[in-house]
Amino acid sequence: RQTASNDSMNSDSSPAFIDFEASSLDLIASYPIEVGVCMPDGSLHSWLIQPHVLWQDWSESAETIHGISRARLEQEGTPVGEVARALNRLLPEQIFCDAWTFDSFWLHR
């Protein structure tokens, strides 16, 4: 006999996964520069994020790791409001990430 909690574990819903790259690892001044999402159906979505005028933090060592320059973000990035609206429309109720402390901060940023 299955319990209700087991029934919910066997549901057909699958989670989505989200990952961010950021201007630095400073949890006060950093901001998201790229976000990628893998949806439950396997479809992929990603955006470079154009820095808001008030977002000035930048780490050369972080740029070395993610390989995205601030100039590229300014030229090719999508305004943060557009990215936020797209994520609000796209994301299901349950999402997972690999670095909750950082990713949740940047998701709310």
Side-chain angles (χ1 to χ4, degrees), residues 18-20 25 27 96-106:
I18 192 166
D19 188 51
F20 288 91
L25 293 179
L27 277 180
F96 287 87
C97 62
D98 66 345
W100 173 249
T101 300
F102 291 104
D103 289 340
S104 64
F105 174 79
W106 295 317

Side-chain angles (χ1 to χ4, degrees), residues 18-37:
I18 192 166
D19 188 51
F20 288 91
E21 295 297 335
S23 61
S24 75
L25 293 179
D26 181 325
L27 277 180
I28 302 295
S30 65
Y31 52 88
I33 64 166
E34 182 181 35
V35 60
V37 176

Side-chain angles (χ1 to χ4, degrees), residues 15-94:
F17 294 87
I18 192 166
D19 188 51
F20 288 91
E21 295 297 335
S23 61
S24 75
L25 293 179
D26 181 325
L27 277 180
I28 302 295
S30 65
Y31 52 88
I33 64 166
E34 182 181 35
V35 60
V37 176
C38 178
M39 297 300 291
D41 66 4
S43 62
L44 302 174
H45 306 269
S46 67
W47 297 265
L48 289 176
I49 302 170
Q50 190 177 72
H52 185 277
V53 67
L54 297 177
W55 293 353
Q56 297 301 313
D57 175 70
W58 193 257
S59 165
E60 298 294 330
S61 60
E63 181 178 337
T64 301
I65 294 168
H66 54 61
I68 303 167
S69 70
R70 186 171 170 99
R72 180 176 175 202
L73 294 171
E74 290 169 351
Q75 293 170 357
E76 300 175 27
T78 302
V80 65
E82 287 181 38
V83 175
R85 284 187 292 278
L87 288 172
N88 285 338
R89 285 190 304 271
L90 184 67
L91 292 177
E93 189 173 312
Q94 186 176 43

